[in-house]
Amino acid sequence: MNDSKSPRNRVAAHIRELPKSGIRDFFELVMSMDDIISLGVGEPDFVTPWGIREATIYSLEKGHTSYTSNLGLLSLRQQACEYVRKDFGVSYDAESECIVTVGVSEGLDLILRAILEVGDEVVYHEPCYVSYPACIKMAQAKPLPLVTTEEDGFSLDPAKLKSTLTDRTKVLLLNFPNNPTGANLSRDQKKEIAEIAVAHDLIVITDEIYAELTYGERSPSIAAFPGMKERTVFLHGFSKAFAMTGFRIGYACGPSDLIDAMMKIHQYSMLCASIMGQEAAKEALKNGRRDMESMKSAYLTRRNMIVKRLNNIGLPCVNPEGAFYVYPNISSTGLSSQEFATRLLKEERVAVVPGTAFSQEGEKHVRCAYAVSTSDLETALDRIKGFVERVRSENKTSPGFRKHKKDKVAIAN
Amino acid sequence: MKSDNIEKVLGLLQQNARLTSEQLSERLAISVDEVDAIIVECEKTSVIRGYYTLVNEDNFDRQRVRAVIDVAVEPERDGGFDRIARNIAKFSEVTDVLLVSGNFDISLIVVGDSLQDVANFVSSKLAPLRGVRSTRTHFMLKKYKEAGFTFEDDEDYERLKITP
């Protein structure tokens, strides 16, 4: 048989080369188990506030079931731009500088495909959301990971950024507050990063999906800093702040030439985001703030709980300044992140995500999402405590134990 | 004692009055001593008026009869509706008393062991009070929500167990 026609080669080279997620087996193991407490879910545990659901039902009753403009409902874009102006400190023209997307995921894919050519480099920080390096590769560009460290509070050190850039670096991709670490950027860091972006003529993509869930001082978007608006694409959406993951609505704001380029891809590939989701998003912006604030304060109490307990258990963690994740260091248990997560799941029925899902350097960490009820969180933390104590006593009594245990629970990759 | 900490303690206690000082301290990232001081101060100044348990009598065999009663009252030269509202509140059968706007002046909730019990209260205790012009009694058939808590659980909807 001609090799070029064999099934393996039907897949395009740049897709074939995308790494399979290293934790796919772990995900499947979690999916196969019942009656677990999962701290592995990257979405709010709240149902979408009733006011938003009710408005969506009403829009269906009125028969709003058609396509919308490719860019999205103008009324939604107007509301979104007003929201961004007030809450993020940067003004956009709703008609030419804003596009409604199917979640931030689509927005990210659109902007990367719109601006990248073969050989271009994108600097992004790791640990990060799992799709970043893959999306960069799908746009046929080269991902340039910049590892953020515990010592820096998982924030982006401007000096390290500077030294990572090369002549081929075209884009800087930011995600603060960050999934999986909960880290944020201070105003000063944003200012320094902005200066570097201007000096190196970078396009900055800022994924601010967790912005509302900022627990300390909330500074303006990096797009609001001098010289930045014309080079920044601001990505945002409704999934996290308004507990609307299933509605799949996001938006991008940026210079009109870039929004226009994104629109070209979007109109041919997606046509438009669902009108039901867009109607829901309008209601969220109109009347959702109270619900959003009350969900945020619930996340904050849980964050306080989980951070204190994990530190007490001896799994030190950087205090997350946003989002609903904490990224404890588990190296004191002597287990790798996959071992830790697999044993915790099997022995205590608690799911966390191994740090290796988010970074090649994630071996010392796991991600715990605290988007669960306080009672589940209490139980999960009690179980983690019991687990860690057991692992430590095993390590004491049998120095060779770890190796043995590793073999026993190793999961095929 | 920071006023936003007071608000935070009260907010959590309103959702669950059984939280211990240690739990409150952990969730709010303030010291146990400060939590205790806030609670003592709030009790002393009557900001916290009491702690009670929300019981869903539908799931309990001792169901009692409740009625919401609107009362029209002749206001008094000194004190308006206060004297009569306070006197109504003194009856042990009455659990809630509110001064309201609209066609009636006072709304109250009465609890009794039977329909007859409540009816007797209205005819022999409430209606004859000096100043009461008229009453309108609504017997409560079912409770759906009280103090922010719904009385029926939503159907469980299973989220994905793990997502990036």
Side-chain angles (χ1 to χ4, degrees):
Chain A
M1 194 199 272
N2 185 335
D3 224 27
S4 69
K5 284 186 183 162
S6 74
R8 193 174 145 267
N9 282 353
R10 287 187 208 171
V11 178
H14 68 290
I15 301 300
R16 212 162 54 218
E17 282 158 18
L18 282 182
K20 277 187 194 158
S21 167
I23 58 160
R24 204 174 42 122
D25 301 296
F26 177 71
F27 274 38
E28 271 160 28
L29 181 63
V30 175
M31 292 298 199
S32 72
M33 287 178 73
D34 287 325
D35 199 28
I36 59 168
I37 296 179
S38 181
L39 306 184
V41 184
E43 69 174 333
D45 57 314
F46 298 101
V47 179
T48 308
W50 172 243
I52 297 172
R53 285 185 280 155
E54 198 274 336
T56 315
I57 296 165
Y58 181 60
S59 82
L60 279 172
E61 279 180 358
K62 283 192 297 181
H64 292 188
T65 59
S66 58
Y67 291 135
T68 70
S69 140
N70 293 136
L71 286 171
L73 294 168
L74 179 60
S75 49
L76 172 58
R77 283 180 279 142
Q78 283 165 337
Q79 279 178 266
C81 288
E82 180 56 16
Y83 180 70
V84 172
R85 186 183 68 77
K86 274 193 186 150
D87 281 55
F88 293 86
V90 48
S91 298
Y92 290 101
D93 173 33
E95 294 193 22
S96 64
E97 296 178 323
C98 179
I99 181 171
V100 178
T101 58
V102 180
V104 168
S105 293
E106 192 214 355
L108 179 68
D109 181 49
L110 291 179
I111 183 60
L112 290 173
R113 283 202 277 160
I115 58 180
L116 291 173
E117 291 172 11
V118 177
D120 287 340
E121 290 171 353
V122 179
V123 173
Y124 67 101
H125 46 91
E126 273 191 8
C128 68
Y129 183 55
V130 293
S131 78
Y132 292 171
C135 281
I136 294 164
K137 284 179 190 157
M138 286 194 284
Q140 312 218 37
K142 187 181 166 198
L144 220 56
L146 170 51
V147 175
T148 60
T149 62
E150 224 169 346
E151 294 70 44
D152 294 337
F154 293 109
S155 206
L156 185 58
D157 178 358
K160 286 184 191 163
L161 168 63
K162 219 171 187 170
S163 64
T164 307
L165 300 173
T166 77
D167 292 346
R168 296 305 309 265
T169 310
K170 185 169 184 182
V171 177
L172 168 63
L173 172 52
L174 299 172
N175 168 227
F176 292 102
N178 177 258
N179 173 10
T181 64
N184 209 350
L185 290 178
S186 69
R187 187 186 291 264
D188 289 344
Q189 284 170 320
K190 285 183 186 174
K191 186 169 168 279
E192 276 187 70
I193 293 168
E195 283 162 7
I196 295 168
V198 172
H200 287 77
D201 195 22
L202 299 174
I203 296 173
V204 175
I205 301 172
T206 176
D207 170 356
E208 303 198 19
I209 188 68
Y210 293 102
E212 288 86 349
L213 307 179
T214 298
Y215 304 119
E217 187 228 359
R218 193 172 146 197
S219 54
S221 168
I222 192 156
F225 286 76
M228 289 305 288
K229 191 187 157 190
E230 58 267 37
R231 65 179 63 255
T232 303
V233 174
F234 169 87
L235 301 177
H236 201 37
F238 297 84
S239 296
K240 314 295 179 178
F242 297 98
M244 288 172 62
T245 47
F247 286 86
R248 308 301 310 123
I249 299 295
Y251 53 95
C253 296
S256 58
D257 59 327
L258 297 183
I259 295 297
D260 206 44
M262 292 169 75
M263 211 279 276
K264 266 194 200 167
I265 305 173
H266 177 75
Q267 74 178 357
Y268 293 130
S269 59
M270 195 64 71
L271 212 162
C272 66
S274 109
I275 190 170
M276 282 80 89
Q278 295 192 54
E279 294 278 6
K282 283 173 61 177
E283 178 63 19
L285 289 177
K286 196 172 165 197
N287 293 313
R289 195 176 282 268
R290 205 180 119 116
D291 285 313
M292 181 242 283
E293 292 290 346
S294 93
M295 289 187 276
K296 177 182 160 185
S297 75
Y299 293 131
L300 177 57
T301 60
R302 298 168 189 177
R303 180 204 70 171
N304 292 338
M305 241 175 100
I306 193 170
V307 168
K308 180 162 182 201
R309 295 259 192 119
L310 288 174
N311 281 321
N312 285 348
I313 293 168
L315 302 179
C317 45
V318 172
N319 195 20
E321 290 170 41
F324 38 61
Y325 307 108
V326 61
Y327 198 60
N329 185 322
I330 52 142
S331 56
S332 66
T333 61
L335 302 176
S336 72
S337 68
Q338 288 236 12
E339 285 170 334
F340 184 95
T342 308
R343 280 191 61 183
L344 182 65
L345 180 66
K346 288 186 170 171
E347 295 172 28
E348 299 287 346
R349 309 192 82 76
V350 173
V352 299
V353 182
T356 44
F358 309 101
S359 171
Q360 291 164 1
E361 313 275 324
E363 206 50 270
K364 287 189 207 158
H365 295 271
V366 294
R367 185 195 74 178
C368 307
Y370 46 89
V372 292
S373 70
T374 40
S375 59
D376 277 357
L377 194 55
E378 296 233 22
T379 311
L381 287 162
D382 286 343
R383 293 184 189 175
I384 292 173
K385 182 167 189 256
F387 171 72
V388 169
E389 282 168 1
R390 195 166 59 247
V391 171
R392 292 219 172 100
S393 74
E394 285 168 5
N395 290 348
K396 252 182 228 159
T397 52
S398 158
F401 189 86
R402 196 173 80 72
K403 183 85 184 84
H404 166 69
K405 205 68 186 172
K406 182 179 176 179
D407 295 342
K408 207 167 158 191
V409 298
I411 44 178
N413 249 326
Chain B
M1 205 178 291
K2 289 204 309 213
S3 75
D4 65 327
N5 284 345
I6 297 176
E7 208 178 312
K8 286 176 187 163
V9 169
L10 292 176
L12 287 188
L13 285 177
Q14 280 180 297
Q15 289 165 35
N16 181 0
R18 295 194 70 200
L19 290 177
T20 62
S21 299
E22 286 72 23
Q23 285 174 312
L24 289 165
S25 146
E26 189 175 86
R27 291 177 195 197
L28 297 174
I30 57 180
S31 70
V32 174
D33 285 349
E34 181 168 0
V35 170
D36 285 337
I38 286 172
I39 293 174
V40 165
E41 181 65 18
C42 286
E43 287 175 348
K44 215 166 74 188
T45 54
S46 272
V47 170
I48 292 178
R49 205 66 189 118
Y51 305 87
Y52 82 110
T53 303
L54 207 56
V55 173
N56 182 359
E57 290 184 355
D58 286 350
N59 293 351
F60 188 58
D61 61 3
R62 190 163 164 271
Q63 288 189 28
R64 309 191 72 193
V65 174
R66 278 163 218 277
V68 179
I69 303 176
D70 297 327
V71 186
V73 177
E74 202 74 60
E76 294 170 352
R77 184 174 180 129
D78 296 317
F81 300 101
D82 280 351
R83 187 192 60 85
I84 193 152
R86 285 181 187 132
N87 281 345
I88 290 172
K90 282 175 188 153
F91 289 110
S92 60
E93 296 90 334
V94 173
T95 59
D96 300 74
V97 181
L98 311 166
L99 184 64
V100 295
S101 63
N103 291 341
F104 289 84
D105 306 299
I106 290 171
S107 263
L108 52 127
I109 295 177
V110 173
V111 60
D113 286 328
S114 66
L115 228 63
Q116 201 52 50
D117 223 20
V118 174
N120 282 345
F121 170 79
V122 176
S123 59
S124 65
K125 304 262 181 70
L126 182 65
L129 282 181
R130 182 162 52 85
V132 168
R133 283 193 307 201
S134 67
T135 65
R136 190 162 67 183
T137 302
H138 316 266
F139 282 100
M140 201 174 86
L141 305 180
K142 186 169 177 177
K143 189 178 277 184
Y144 293 91
K145 189 176 184 182
E146 183 181 334
F149 292 83
T150 52
F151 275 50
E152 288 165 337
D153 290 328
D154 280 339
E155 213 174 291
D156 255 356
Y157 169 75
E158 206 185 344
R159 295 191 293 160
L160 288 175
K161 293 189 196 105
I162 191 158
T163 60

